[in-house]
Amino acid sequence: MYLLPAVDILDGKAVRLSKGDYNAVTTYNDDPVAQAQEFEQLGATWLHVVDLNGAKSGIPENAAIIEKILAKTLLKVEVGGGLRSLEACERLYQAGVTRMVLGTALVRDPEFAQAAIEKYGNALAAGIDAKGGEVAVAGWIEGSGIAATELASRMANLGYKHLIYTDIARDGMQTGIEPEAYVRMAEAFRNPVIASGGVASVADIENLAAVAGSIEGIITGRAIYEGTLGVVEGVAKCVEVTRAWDVAQAAKDPCGMGGTCAC
């Protein structure tokens, strides 16, 4: 489990939306590159970036800023927003992005979703954002009529190994998390998922400890910007929870035989 501080870029600035509402914008930094550098200095090794302009328009609009982040930090960068063509993916891939997140395209262009995973493999992630369990698309503006767990299962069948699940009702609201929702998604996806939406404090990370086997990483934004969760303590808590989970699993299976050892 690892922490991914979030930088959401809208009109060239680092912002956060409340519940995905483009009319409820809070600007936190006029320079997303400087914000990324600050996160790195605080100990983050990953960064989650969303091109909010691209998510709405369907065309990446802040690629140049993302390229600057890659050039000026050593962070592993995960990017989503407007990636709906192989050409758009290729630019970011060549720039050095560690992972590209496909969202709307998973629903509207399954042929592209398949072509992309065949070309980029582990450098891709499925981004599933949901309201009331229903997948939302086009920058969270439209419903899709598809259940989040159903889409997760489809993506697993295509070969996706990374999935980011965002609970839109909690995103940017600092209302806490629902661990069981990530367990359900991990079961449908058949792999651990990245949790997003509602992480407000280190206590929320602790609340995921019991289901750590279902969690690959944790994305958080507003809580960091507003000081209820520090990057330093968030990174440390993720490491602590992961170690505790590993120790617990080792205790259950000391011989590493999947529980089949007779000793």
Side-chain angles (χ1 to χ4, degrees):
M1 184 187 297
Y2 48 87
L3 190 76
L4 299 97
V7 173
D8 293 359
I9 305 173
L10 182 66
D11 300 333
K13 300 178 180 180
V15 308
R16 293 297 287 171
L17 308 182
S18 294
K19 298 184 180 180
D21 186 352
Y22 279 74
N23 295 313
V25 180
T26 302
T27 300
Y28 287 106
N29 198 320
D30 289 338
D31 186 351
V33 179
Q35 185 63 68
Q37 291 175 314
E38 179 182 333
F39 287 152
E40 182 179 37
Q41 291 166 1
L42 291 170
T45 56
W46 277 90
L47 183 72
H48 179 77
V49 177
V50 179
D51 181 342
L52 289 172
N53 295 103
K56 196 171 184 179
S57 69
I59 303 171
E61 297 185 25
N62 291 290
I65 294 175
I66 295 166
E67 289 170 341
K68 288 181 181 178
I69 290 174
L70 291 162
K72 294 189 176 184
T73 73
L74 296 176
L75 292 165
K76 296 177 183 177
V77 180
E78 175 181 89
V79 178
L83 295 176
R84 301 175 198 173
S85 71
L86 291 177
E87 292 76 17
C89 291
E90 186 66 16
R91 176 176 180 180
L92 292 179
Y93 184 75
Q94 291 299 328
V97 166
T98 301
R99 192 181 297 151
M100 299 169 289
V101 185
L102 306 187
T104 296
L106 303 179
V107 174
R108 293 186 170 172
D109 194 350
E111 291 183 0
F112 162 61
Q114 181 170 357
I117 194 65
E118 290 174 355
K119 182 171 184 178
Y120 297 107
N122 207 43
L124 280 187
I128 298 181
D129 309 325
K131 290 181 179 179
E134 178 188 359
V135 177
V137 296
W140 298 354
I141 297 173
E142 304 171 20
S144 67
I146 301 173
T149 50
E150 179 184 345
L151 185 58
S153 180
R154 290 184 195 175
M155 294 305 103
N157 291 339
L158 284 182
Y160 283 77
K161 300 300 182 184
H162 303 284
L163 185 151
I164 298 151
Y165 177 62
T166 302
D167 183 344
I168 296 173
R170 295 172 183 267
D171 188 75
M173 299 306 294
Q174 297 179 262
T175 52
I177 55 174
E178 182 189 355
E180 295 77 14
Y182 299 108
V183 173
R184 291 193 295 269
M185 289 297 291
E187 289 175 347
F189 187 56
R190 305 192 294 279
N191 280 291
V193 302
I194 296 172
S196 175
V199 174
S201 68
V202 72
D204 289 315
I205 300 176
E206 292 174 341
N207 287 340
L208 288 173
V211 298
S214 298
I215 308 296
E216 176 182 353
I218 299 173
I219 296 171
T220 183
R222 187 181 294 271
I224 288 175
Y225 293 112
E226 298 192 352
T228 64
L229 173 64
V231 172
V232 174
E233 65 175 341
V235 168
K237 182 56 67 173
C238 284
V239 171
E240 178 187 323
V241 167
T242 300
R243 287 176 178 168
W245 177 264
D246 290 343
V247 169
Q249 297 313 298
K252 292 178 181 178
D253 184 19
C255 298
M257 299 293 290
T260 61
C261 181
C263 68

Short mmCIF file of all heavy atoms in Angstrom, two decimals, residues 153-204:
data_model
loop_
_atom_site.label_atom_id
_atom_site.label_comp_id
_atom_site.label_asym_id
_atom_site.label_seq_id
_atom_site.Cartn_x
_atom_site.Cartn_y
_atom_site.Cartn_z
N SER A 153 -15.08 -6.18 -13.41
CA SER A 153 -14.93 -7.56 -13.87
C SER A 153 -14.56 -7.59 -15.36
O SER A 153 -13.70 -8.38 -15.78
CB SER A 153 -16.23 -8.33 -13.63
OG SER A 153 -16.11 -9.67 -14.08
N ARG A 154 -15.19 -6.73 -16.15
CA ARG A 154 -14.87 -6.67 -17.58
C ARG A 154 -13.40 -6.30 -17.79
O ARG A 154 -12.73 -6.86 -18.64
CB ARG A 154 -15.74 -5.61 -18.27
CG ARG A 154 -17.21 -5.96 -18.40
CD ARG A 154 -17.89 -4.85 -19.20
NE ARG A 154 -19.33 -4.89 -19.10
CZ ARG A 154 -20.14 -3.97 -19.63
NH1 ARG A 154 -19.61 -2.95 -20.30
NH2 ARG A 154 -21.44 -4.06 -19.50
N MET A 155 -12.92 -5.33 -17.03
CA MET A 155 -11.54 -4.88 -17.19
C MET A 155 -10.55 -5.97 -16.78
O MET A 155 -9.50 -6.13 -17.40
CB MET A 155 -11.30 -3.61 -16.37
CG MET A 155 -12.09 -2.40 -16.87
SD MET A 155 -11.80 -2.05 -18.64
CE MET A 155 -13.33 -2.71 -19.38
N ALA A 156 -10.89 -6.72 -15.75
CA ALA A 156 -10.04 -7.84 -15.35
C ALA A 156 -9.96 -8.86 -16.48
O ALA A 156 -8.88 -9.40 -16.78
CB ALA A 156 -10.59 -8.49 -14.09
N ASN A 157 -11.07 -9.10 -17.14
CA ASN A 157 -11.10 -10.06 -18.24
C ASN A 157 -10.25 -9.59 -19.42
O ASN A 157 -9.70 -10.40 -20.17
CB ASN A 157 -12.54 -10.29 -18.71
CG ASN A 157 -13.37 -11.04 -17.67
OD1 ASN A 157 -12.82 -11.73 -16.80
ND2 ASN A 157 -14.67 -10.91 -17.74
N LEU A 158 -10.14 -8.25 -19.59
CA LEU A 158 -9.32 -7.72 -20.67
C LEU A 158 -7.82 -7.77 -20.35
O LEU A 158 -6.99 -7.64 -21.25
CB LEU A 158 -9.71 -6.26 -20.97
CG LEU A 158 -11.00 -6.02 -21.75
CD1 LEU A 158 -11.20 -4.53 -21.98
CD2 LEU A 158 -11.00 -6.76 -23.08
N GLY A 159 -7.50 -7.94 -19.07
CA GLY A 159 -6.10 -8.02 -18.69
C GLY A 159 -5.58 -6.85 -17.87
O GLY A 159 -4.37 -6.78 -17.59
N TYR A 160 -6.45 -5.94 -17.45
CA TYR A 160 -6.01 -4.82 -16.61
C TYR A 160 -5.63 -5.34 -15.23
O TYR A 160 -6.32 -6.19 -14.66
CB TYR A 160 -7.12 -3.78 -16.48
CG TYR A 160 -7.27 -2.90 -17.70
CD1 TYR A 160 -7.89 -3.37 -18.86
CD2 TYR A 160 -6.79 -1.59 -17.71
CE1 TYR A 160 -8.02 -2.58 -19.99
CE2 TYR A 160 -6.92 -0.79 -18.83
CZ TYR A 160 -7.53 -1.28 -19.97
OH TYR A 160 -7.65 -0.49 -21.08
N LYS A 161 -4.51 -4.85 -14.68
CA LYS A 161 -4.02 -5.28 -13.38
C LYS A 161 -4.10 -4.18 -12.32
O LYS A 161 -3.85 -4.44 -11.15
CB LYS A 161 -2.57 -5.76 -13.50
CG LYS A 161 -2.37 -6.93 -14.44
CD LYS A 161 -3.17 -8.17 -14.01
CE LYS A 161 -2.92 -9.33 -14.95
NZ LYS A 161 -3.76 -10.52 -14.60
N HIS A 162 -4.39 -2.96 -12.74
CA HIS A 162 -4.52 -1.83 -11.81
C HIS A 162 -5.88 -1.18 -12.01
O HIS A 162 -6.34 -1.02 -13.15
CB HIS A 162 -3.42 -0.79 -12.06
CG HIS A 162 -2.04 -1.35 -11.95
ND1 HIS A 162 -1.45 -1.64 -10.73
CD2 HIS A 162 -1.13 -1.67 -12.91
CE1 HIS A 162 -0.24 -2.12 -10.95
NE2 HIS A 162 -0.02 -2.14 -12.24
N LEU A 163 -6.50 -0.79 -10.91
CA LEU A 163 -7.82 -0.15 -10.97
C LEU A 163 -7.93 0.90 -9.88
O LEU A 163 -7.56 0.64 -8.72
CB LEU A 163 -8.93 -1.20 -10.81
CG LEU A 163 -10.38 -0.70 -10.97
CD1 LEU A 163 -11.26 -1.83 -11.50
CD2 LEU A 163 -10.96 -0.20 -9.64
N ILE A 164 -8.39 2.07 -10.26
CA ILE A 164 -8.63 3.15 -9.31
C ILE A 164 -10.13 3.30 -9.15
O ILE A 164 -10.84 3.54 -10.14
CB ILE A 164 -8.01 4.47 -9.80
CG1 ILE A 164 -6.50 4.32 -9.93
CG2 ILE A 164 -8.34 5.61 -8.85
CD1 ILE A 164 -5.90 5.20 -10.97
N TYR A 165 -10.60 3.16 -7.93
CA TYR A 165 -12.03 3.30 -7.68
C TYR A 165 -12.29 4.55 -6.86
O TYR A 165 -11.77 4.71 -5.75
CB TYR A 165 -12.58 2.08 -6.95
CG TYR A 165 -14.05 2.21 -6.61
CD1 TYR A 165 -14.99 2.33 -7.64
CD2 TYR A 165 -14.49 2.25 -5.30
CE1 TYR A 165 -16.34 2.48 -7.34
CE2 TYR A 165 -15.83 2.38 -4.99
CZ TYR A 165 -16.75 2.51 -6.02
OH TYR A 165 -18.09 2.65 -5.72
N THR A 166 -13.09 5.44 -7.42
CA THR A 166 -13.43 6.69 -6.74
C THR A 166 -14.91 6.72 -6.39
O THR A 166 -15.77 6.54 -7.26
CB THR A 166 -13.12 7.90 -7.64
OG1 THR A 166 -11.74 7.88 -8.00
CG2 THR A 166 -13.43 9.21 -6.92
N ASP A 167 -15.19 6.96 -5.14
CA ASP A 167 -16.55 7.18 -4.66
C ASP A 167 -16.82 8.68 -4.79
O ASP A 167 -16.38 9.48 -3.96
CB ASP A 167 -16.66 6.72 -3.21
CG ASP A 167 -18.08 6.84 -2.66
OD1 ASP A 167 -18.90 7.55 -3.28
OD2 ASP A 167 -18.34 6.25 -1.61
N ILE A 168 -17.53 9.07 -5.84
CA ILE A 168 -17.71 10.49 -6.15
C ILE A 168 -18.41 11.23 -5.01
O ILE A 168 -18.09 12.39 -4.72
CB ILE A 168 -18.50 10.66 -7.47
CG1 ILE A 168 -17.68 10.07 -8.63
CG2 ILE A 168 -18.82 12.13 -7.72
CD1 ILE A 168 -18.43 10.04 -9.94
N ALA A 169 -19.34 10.58 -4.36
CA ALA A 169 -20.09 11.26 -3.29
C ALA A 169 -19.17 11.67 -2.14
O ALA A 169 -19.47 12.60 -1.40
CB ALA A 169 -21.20 10.35 -2.77
N ARG A 170 -18.02 10.98 -2.02
CA ARG A 170 -17.11 11.28 -0.93
C ARG A 170 -15.90 12.09 -1.39
O ARG A 170 -15.20 12.68 -0.57
CB ARG A 170 -16.61 9.97 -0.29
CG ARG A 170 -17.71 9.18 0.40
CD ARG A 170 -17.22 7.81 0.86
NE ARG A 170 -18.29 7.03 1.46
CZ ARG A 170 -18.57 6.99 2.75
NH1 ARG A 170 -17.85 7.69 3.59
NH2 ARG A 170 -19.56 6.25 3.21
N ASP A 171 -15.66 12.12 -2.72
CA ASP A 171 -14.44 12.77 -3.22
C ASP A 171 -14.44 14.26 -2.90
O ASP A 171 -15.39 14.98 -3.19
CB ASP A 171 -14.34 12.57 -4.73
CG ASP A 171 -13.00 13.05 -5.27
OD1 ASP A 171 -12.00 12.35 -5.06
OD2 ASP A 171 -12.95 14.15 -5.86
N GLY A 172 -13.34 14.70 -2.32
CA GLY A 172 -13.18 16.10 -1.99
C GLY A 172 -14.01 16.57 -0.81
O GLY A 172 -14.03 17.75 -0.49
N MET A 173 -14.69 15.63 -0.14
CA MET A 173 -15.59 16.02 0.96
C MET A 173 -15.01 15.71 2.34
O MET A 173 -15.55 16.13 3.35
CB MET A 173 -16.93 15.29 0.80
CG MET A 173 -17.65 15.62 -0.51
SD MET A 173 -17.89 17.39 -0.75
CE MET A 173 -19.03 17.76 0.57
N GLN A 174 -13.91 14.92 2.38
CA GLN A 174 -13.28 14.56 3.65
C GLN A 174 -14.27 13.94 4.63
O GLN A 174 -14.27 14.23 5.82
CB GLN A 174 -12.62 15.79 4.29
CG GLN A 174 -11.49 16.39 3.47
CD GLN A 174 -10.89 17.61 4.13
OE1 GLN A 174 -11.22 18.73 3.80
NE2 GLN A 174 -9.97 17.39 5.05
N THR A 175 -15.12 13.06 4.10
CA THR A 175 -16.17 12.45 4.92
C THR A 175 -15.81 11.05 5.39
O THR A 175 -16.62 10.36 5.98
CB THR A 175 -17.48 12.37 4.12
OG1 THR A 175 -17.24 11.73 2.86
CG2 THR A 175 -18.04 13.75 3.86
N GLY A 176 -14.57 10.63 5.13
CA GLY A 176 -14.18 9.27 5.50
C GLY A 176 -14.44 8.30 4.36
O GLY A 176 -14.97 8.65 3.32
N ILE A 177 -14.05 7.05 4.59
CA ILE A 177 -14.13 6.05 3.54
C ILE A 177 -15.02 4.90 3.94
O ILE A 177 -15.38 4.74 5.11
CB ILE A 177 -12.72 5.51 3.22
CG1 ILE A 177 -12.08 4.98 4.50
CG2 ILE A 177 -11.86 6.58 2.57
CD1 ILE A 177 -10.77 4.31 4.28
N GLU A 178 -15.37 4.08 2.96
CA GLU A 178 -16.15 2.86 3.20
C GLU A 178 -15.29 1.67 2.77
O GLU A 178 -15.26 1.32 1.59
CB GLU A 178 -17.45 2.89 2.39
CG GLU A 178 -18.32 1.67 2.62
CD GLU A 178 -19.49 1.59 1.66
OE1 GLU A 178 -19.70 2.52 0.87
OE2 GLU A 178 -20.19 0.56 1.70
N PRO A 179 -14.56 1.06 3.69
CA PRO A 179 -13.66 -0.02 3.33
C PRO A 179 -14.32 -1.14 2.54
O PRO A 179 -13.73 -1.71 1.62
CB PRO A 179 -13.15 -0.53 4.69
CG PRO A 179 -13.24 0.67 5.59
CD PRO A 179 -14.49 1.37 5.14
N GLU A 180 -15.57 -1.47 2.90
CA GLU A 180 -16.25 -2.58 2.24
C GLU A 180 -16.44 -2.34 0.74
O GLU A 180 -16.46 -3.29 -0.05
CB GLU A 180 -17.61 -2.82 2.89
CG GLU A 180 -17.54 -3.29 4.34
CD GLU A 180 -17.23 -2.14 5.31
OE1 GLU A 180 -17.33 -0.96 4.90
OE2 GLU A 180 -16.87 -2.43 6.47
N ALA A 181 -16.55 -1.08 0.35
CA ALA A 181 -16.73 -0.78 -1.07
C ALA A 181 -15.50 -1.20 -1.87
O ALA A 181 -15.61 -1.70 -3.00
CB ALA A 181 -16.99 0.72 -1.27
N TYR A 182 -14.33 -1.00 -1.29
CA TYR A 182 -13.09 -1.38 -1.98
C TYR A 182 -12.90 -2.89 -1.97
O TYR A 182 -12.34 -3.46 -2.91
CB TYR A 182 -11.91 -0.66 -1.35
CG TYR A 182 -12.06 0.83 -1.47
CD1 TYR A 182 -12.35 1.62 -0.35
CD2 TYR A 182 -11.96 1.47 -2.71
CE1 TYR A 182 -12.54 2.99 -0.47
CE2 TYR A 182 -12.14 2.84 -2.83
CZ TYR A 182 -12.42 3.59 -1.71
OH TYR A 182 -12.61 4.94 -1.84
N VAL A 183 -13.38 -3.55 -0.93
CA VAL A 183 -13.33 -5.01 -0.91
C VAL A 183 -14.19 -5.58 -2.04
O VAL A 183 -13.77 -6.49 -2.76
CB VAL A 183 -13.80 -5.55 0.45
CG1 VAL A 183 -13.92 -7.08 0.41
CG2 VAL A 183 -12.85 -5.14 1.56
N ARG A 184 -15.40 -5.01 -2.21
CA ARG A 184 -16.27 -5.49 -3.28
C ARG A 184 -15.65 -5.27 -4.65
O ARG A 184 -15.72 -6.15 -5.52
CB ARG A 184 -17.63 -4.76 -3.20
CG ARG A 184 -18.48 -5.13 -2.00
CD ARG A 184 -19.89 -4.62 -2.15
NE ARG A 184 -19.96 -3.17 -2.16
CZ ARG A 184 -20.13 -2.41 -1.09
NH1 ARG A 184 -20.21 -2.97 0.12
NH2 ARG A 184 -20.20 -1.09 -1.18
N MET A 185 -15.02 -4.11 -4.83
CA MET A 185 -14.38 -3.84 -6.11
C MET A 185 -13.19 -4.75 -6.35
O MET A 185 -12.97 -5.25 -7.46
CB MET A 185 -13.95 -2.37 -6.17
CG MET A 185 -15.10 -1.40 -6.29
SD MET A 185 -16.07 -1.60 -7.82
CE MET A 185 -14.87 -1.02 -9.03
N ALA A 186 -12.39 -4.99 -5.31
CA ALA A 186 -11.23 -5.87 -5.45
C ALA A 186 -11.67 -7.30 -5.79
O ALA A 186 -11.02 -7.99 -6.58
CB ALA A 186 -10.40 -5.86 -4.17
N GLU A 187 -12.76 -7.74 -5.19
CA GLU A 187 -13.26 -9.07 -5.50
C GLU A 187 -13.72 -9.17 -6.95
O GLU A 187 -13.44 -10.15 -7.64
CB GLU A 187 -14.43 -9.41 -4.56
CG GLU A 187 -13.99 -9.65 -3.11
CD GLU A 187 -15.16 -9.87 -2.18
OE1 GLU A 187 -16.32 -9.59 -2.59
OE2 GLU A 187 -14.93 -10.30 -1.03
N ALA A 188 -14.40 -8.13 -7.43
CA ALA A 188 -14.87 -8.13 -8.81
C ALA A 188 -13.70 -8.03 -9.79
O ALA A 188 -13.71 -8.63 -10.87
CB ALA A 188 -15.83 -6.96 -9.04
N PHE A 189 -12.66 -7.29 -9.40
CA PHE A 189 -11.50 -7.04 -10.26
C PHE A 189 -10.46 -8.16 -10.17
O PHE A 189 -9.61 -8.30 -11.04
CB PHE A 189 -10.87 -5.70 -9.88
CG PHE A 189 -9.78 -5.23 -10.79
CD1 PHE A 189 -10.00 -5.08 -12.16
CD2 PHE A 189 -8.52 -4.93 -10.29
CE1 PHE A 189 -8.98 -4.64 -13.00
CE2 PHE A 189 -7.50 -4.48 -11.12
CZ PHE A 189 -7.74 -4.35 -12.48
N ARG A 190 -10.55 -8.92 -9.09
CA ARG A 190 -9.62 -10.03 -8.84
C ARG A 190 -8.18 -9.57 -8.63
O ARG A 190 -7.23 -10.31 -8.84
CB ARG A 190 -9.71 -11.08 -9.97
CG ARG A 190 -11.12 -11.59 -10.20
CD ARG A 190 -11.15 -12.81 -11.09
NE ARG A 190 -10.72 -12.56 -12.45
CZ ARG A 190 -11.52 -12.03 -13.40
NH1 ARG A 190 -12.78 -11.70 -13.10
NH2 ARG A 190 -11.06 -11.85 -14.62
N ASN A 191 -8.04 -8.33 -8.22
CA ASN A 191 -6.75 -7.74 -7.87
C ASN A 191 -7.01 -6.62 -6.86
O ASN A 191 -8.12 -6.07 -6.82
CB ASN A 191 -6.06 -7.15 -9.09
CG ASN A 191 -5.37 -8.18 -9.96
OD1 ASN A 191 -4.36 -8.77 -9.57
ND2 ASN A 191 -5.92 -8.43 -11.14
N PRO A 192 -6.01 -6.25 -6.07
CA PRO A 192 -6.19 -5.09 -5.19
C PRO A 192 -6.47 -3.84 -6.01
O PRO A 192 -6.07 -3.74 -7.17
CB PRO A 192 -4.83 -4.99 -4.48
CG PRO A 192 -4.24 -6.36 -4.57
CD PRO A 192 -4.69 -6.89 -5.89
N VAL A 193 -7.15 -2.87 -5.41
CA VAL A 193 -7.51 -1.64 -6.11
C VAL A 193 -6.92 -0.43 -5.38
O VAL A 193 -6.52 -0.52 -4.22
CB VAL A 193 -9.05 -1.48 -6.21
CG1 VAL A 193 -9.66 -2.66 -6.93
CG2 VAL A 193 -9.68 -1.32 -4.83
N ILE A 194 -6.86 0.67 -6.10
CA ILE A 194 -6.41 1.93 -5.51
C ILE A 194 -7.64 2.69 -5.03
O ILE A 194 -8.58 2.91 -5.80
CB ILE A 194 -5.62 2.75 -6.54
CG1 ILE A 194 -4.34 1.98 -6.93
CG2 ILE A 194 -5.26 4.13 -5.97
CD1 ILE A 194 -3.57 2.61 -8.06
N ALA A 195 -7.62 3.06 -3.76
CA ALA A 195 -8.77 3.72 -3.14
C ALA A 195 -8.70 5.22 -3.32
O ALA A 195 -7.65 5.83 -3.12
CB ALA A 195 -8.82 3.38 -1.66
N SER A 196 -9.82 5.81 -3.67
CA SER A 196 -9.88 7.26 -3.88
C SER A 196 -11.23 7.79 -3.43
O SER A 196 -12.27 7.19 -3.70
CB SER A 196 -9.67 7.58 -5.37
OG SER A 196 -9.82 8.94 -5.64
N GLY A 197 -11.19 8.94 -2.75
CA GLY A 197 -12.44 9.57 -2.35
C GLY A 197 -12.71 9.48 -0.87
O GLY A 197 -12.96 8.40 -0.34
N GLY A 198 -12.62 10.62 -0.18
CA GLY A 198 -13.04 10.67 1.21
C GLY A 198 -11.96 10.54 2.26
O GLY A 198 -12.24 10.68 3.45
N VAL A 199 -10.72 10.23 1.87
CA VAL A 199 -9.66 10.08 2.87
C VAL A 199 -9.39 11.44 3.51
O VAL A 199 -8.97 12.39 2.83
CB VAL A 199 -8.37 9.53 2.25
CG1 VAL A 199 -7.24 9.52 3.27
CG2 VAL A 199 -8.61 8.12 1.72
N ALA A 200 -9.64 11.55 4.80
CA ALA A 200 -9.56 12.83 5.49
C ALA A 200 -8.45 12.91 6.51
O ALA A 200 -8.03 14.00 6.89
CB ALA A 200 -10.91 13.14 6.16
N SER A 201 -7.99 11.76 6.99
CA SER A 201 -6.99 11.77 8.07
C SER A 201 -6.25 10.45 8.08
O SER A 201 -6.61 9.50 7.38
CB SER A 201 -7.66 11.99 9.42
OG SER A 201 -8.45 10.86 9.75
N VAL A 202 -5.23 10.38 8.93
CA VAL A 202 -4.48 9.14 9.06
C VAL A 202 -5.39 8.03 9.61
O VAL A 202 -5.16 6.84 9.34
CB VAL A 202 -3.25 9.36 9.96
CG1 VAL A 202 -3.66 9.54 11.42
CG2 VAL A 202 -2.26 8.22 9.81
N ALA A 203 -6.44 8.40 10.32
CA ALA A 203 -7.37 7.40 10.84
C ALA A 203 -8.07 6.65 9.71
O ALA A 203 -8.38 5.46 9.85
CB ALA A 203 -8.41 8.08 11.74
N ASP A 204 -8.31 7.33 8.60
CA ASP A 204 -8.95 6.66 7.46
C ASP A 204 -8.02 5.62 6.86
O ASP A 204 -8.49 4.57 6.36
CB ASP A 204 -9.36 7.68 6.40
CG ASP A 204 -10.52 8.55 6.86
OD1 ASP A 204 -11.49 7.99 7.40
OD2 ASP A 204 -10.45 9.77 6.67
#
